[in-house]
């Protein structure tokens, strides 16, 4: 009983101390005490927004700061002070798109085996000493910097892909397959999906997510390597700027006709373009693409035939162009209005801008097509550690390639916000055409009808598809 009475007296003393006499004047208790290792199950409501502000939902797991202090991640290649790297390392760092494996997936003490096409490298840049560093020089310098062994085989462009096929089928453990844009249909037969190794929600400024998705996660490509319409601002008619119109989805075949006619009236070449297949993307699909993992053709699909018919009618109404026989026509010569290319040659002091191919009708976006060089994981080398090393190499390659591309665009006057707009156009409006020379040759006669109104395209599509189908079947034996 005595113990009980003492306990009651002690509690009374503690209560009294907690209210008045025992509380120092300089102590300020927090309004809410939360265990720092725990998340509150019911966070306090956000402050009511003032008039004119939108409602906000705070992230209770992070300190809240005003929106102006938490901008979206800035693309380093679009920074105001961006200067292309002159070293092996890129301005871009790994963005987390490649998931870590069981072992460290860096390159140290690994071996990277790669074939590449001789001739033009995928990219090159000028180093601190003013010397040109090619893609292949960069690979060797990267190997030295990262401490891995590089086995690089350079073959002629005509046999590079065939050499890789032979190497894989004979048991050589290639790290990656490299291919050019005109070899994609055949090149993909040697590649496997990297989807299981990728976090597509991760931020990356160097790897094209659009190319990954359109290729079934088989192809790695830099960001912004596309063919688009480059044009000379001085040769555009008044109040008709393709770049401005395209941002408002008003760059259409009608406005294209206005630009074309204006150039013809001024004895300039209206358009420099050899890639008829690219126009098929105006249908909303690629003319050569993947369907359920297999190579598929839309060259004579109904939607594409509508595009061909529209183009045939348009070209029949375009004015004739009087070109001088002894003149070379190009953007750099200031006598060409538009050129569909990835990197136009330009003249000093002239102004150039870019736009997609014109849309069929107002309210829809035009299109661009992916170009350049691509990497893919080979089918017959599935060791996880080797795969992770190969993917790390692919990301470094894409980052360096993307930075070189950003430097090219900056030299063309496309930098900062304009660079971001170009990248958005490439990722959102870009189409991957799985090109094949044999298939395009079969379609050549059919596509010649775009410039000849007397050709019945609707009548000829069945014959063209019958010629293409056996080639698709042959490829699909290996997809």
């Amino acid at each position: 009983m005595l113990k009980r009475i003492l306990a009651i007296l002690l509690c009374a003393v503690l209560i009294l101390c907690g209210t008045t006499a025992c509380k120092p004047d300089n102590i300020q208790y927090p309004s809410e005490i939360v265990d720092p290792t725990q998340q509150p199950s019911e966070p306090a409501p956000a402050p009511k927004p003032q008039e004119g502000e939108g409602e906000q939902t705070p992230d209770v797991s992070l300190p809240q700061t005003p929106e102006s202090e938490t901008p979206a991640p800035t693309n380093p290649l679009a920074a105001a002070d961006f200067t292309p790297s002159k070293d092996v390392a890129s301005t871009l760092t790994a963005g987390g798109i490649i998931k870590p494996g069981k072992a460290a997936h860096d390159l140290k003490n690994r071996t990277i085996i790669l074939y590449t096409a001789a001739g033009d490298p995928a990219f090159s840049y000028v180093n601190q000493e003013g010397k040109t560093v090619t893609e292949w020089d960069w690979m060797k310098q990267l190997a030295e910097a990262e401490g891995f062994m590089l086995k690089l085989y350079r073959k002629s462009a005509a046999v590079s892909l065939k050499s890789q096929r032979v190497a894989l089928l004979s048991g050589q453990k290639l790290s990656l397959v490299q291919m050019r844009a005109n070899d994609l249909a055949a090149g993909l037969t040697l590649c496997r999906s990297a989807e299981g190794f990728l976090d597509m929600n991760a931020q990356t400024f160097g790897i094209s997510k659009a190319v990954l998705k359109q290729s079934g996660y088989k192809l790695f490509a830099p960001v912004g390597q596309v063919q688009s319409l480059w044009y000379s601002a001085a040769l555009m008619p008044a109040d008709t700027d393709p770049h401005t119109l395209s941002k408002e989805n008003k760059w259409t075949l009608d406005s294209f006709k206005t630009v074309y006619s204006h150039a013809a009236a001024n004895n300039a070449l209206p358009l420099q373009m050899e890639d008829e297949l690219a126009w098929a993307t105006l249908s909303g699909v690629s003319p050569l693409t993947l369907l359920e993992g297999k190579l598929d053709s839309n060259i004579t699909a109904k939607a594409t035939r509508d595009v061909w018919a529209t183009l045939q009618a348009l070209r029949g109404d375009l004015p004739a162009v009087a070109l001088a026989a002894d003149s070379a026509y190009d953007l750099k010569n200031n006598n060409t209005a538009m050129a569909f290319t990835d990197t136009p040659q330009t003249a000093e002091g002239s102004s150039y801008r870019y736009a997609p191919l014109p849309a069929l009708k107002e309210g829809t976006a035009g299109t661009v097509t992916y170009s350049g060089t691509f990497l893919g994981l080979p089918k017959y080398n599935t060791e996880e550690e080797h795969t992770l090393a190969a993917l790390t190499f692919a990301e470094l390659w894409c980052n360096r390639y993307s930075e070189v591309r950003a430097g090219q665009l900056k030299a063309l006057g496309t930098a900062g916000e304009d660079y971001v707009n170009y990248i958005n156009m490439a990722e959102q409006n870009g189409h991957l055409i799985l090109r094949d020379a044999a298939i395009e040759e079969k379609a050549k006669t059919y596509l010649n009808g775009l410039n000849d109104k007397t050709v019945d395209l609707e009548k000829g599509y069945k014959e063209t598809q019958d010629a293409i189908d056996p080639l698709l079947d042959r490829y699909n034996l290996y997809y």
Side-chain angles (χ1 to χ4, degrees), residues 249-273:
N249 285 342
K250 294 180 179 179
W251 173 233
T252 65
L253 288 178
D254 286 339
S255 46
F256 171 83
K257 183 178 179 180
T258 300
V259 172
Y260 191 103
S261 300
H262 182 266
N266 288 276
N267 299 319
L269 178 66
L271 175 64
Q272 192 176 56
M273 181 177 182

Side-chain angles (χ1 to χ4, degrees), residues 71-261:
T74 301
N75 188 333
L77 305 183
D81 59 350
F82 166 67
T83 301
S85 172
K86 295 185 177 182
D87 203 351
V88 176
S90 171
T91 299
L92 300 175
T93 57
I97 192 172
I98 297 170
K99 296 177 182 177
K102 291 181 294 185
H105 61 282
D106 60 8
L107 291 165
K108 191 172 181 62
N109 299 324
R110 304 288 185 188
T111 298
I112 296 294
I113 305 174
L114 193 70
Y115 280 68
T116 185
D120 294 329
F123 62 84
S124 60
Y125 59 92
V126 177
N127 66 12
Q128 297 284 4
E129 289 75 40
K131 296 180 179 178
T132 298
V133 178
T134 66
E135 171 199 16
W136 313 305
D137 297 328
W138 173 82
M139 289 179 179
K140 295 171 186 176
Q141 293 171 15
L142 181 70
E144 184 177 349
E146 298 293 336
F148 67 90
M149 179 178 290
L150 174 69
K151 293 184 179 180
L152 181 64
Y153 301 90
R154 289 173 60 183
K155 301 290 183 179
S156 70
V159 302
S160 176
L161 194 60
K162 294 177 182 177
S163 298
Q164 293 176 78
R165 186 182 301 279
V166 170
L168 286 170
L169 294 177
S170 63
Q172 189 173 4
K173 292 186 176 181
L174 299 187
S175 303
L176 294 155
V177 175
Q178 189 181 71
M179 67 210 86
R180 304 295 178 91
N182 58 350
D183 287 326
L184 290 182
L188 274 186
T189 63
L190 303 178
C191 299
R192 60 188 172 97
S193 173
E195 185 175 10
F197 295 95
L198 304 177
D199 177 7
M200 294 299 288
N201 292 319
Q203 181 69 69
T204 175
F205 298 113
I207 299 175
S208 172
K209 290 184 178 180
V211 169
L212 275 169
K213 290 176 182 177
Q214 291 183 41
S215 66
Y217 304 94
K218 292 181 179 181
L219 293 178
F220 288 83
V223 170
Q225 187 65 47
V226 293
Q227 293 190 105
S228 59
L229 275 179
W230 289 92
Y231 62 92
S232 170
L235 292 177
M236 294 298 106
D239 302 323
T240 306
D241 179 65
H243 178 81
T244 302
L245 292 173
S246 67
K247 290 196 295 184
E248 301 171 354
N249 285 342
K250 294 180 179 179
W251 173 233
T252 65
L253 288 178
D254 286 339
S255 46
F256 171 83
K257 183 178 179 180
T258 300
V259 172
Y260 191 103
S261 300

Side-chain angles (χ1 to χ4, degrees), residues 323-329 335:
L323 300 179
D326 57 348
S327 295
Y329 287 85
N335 58 8

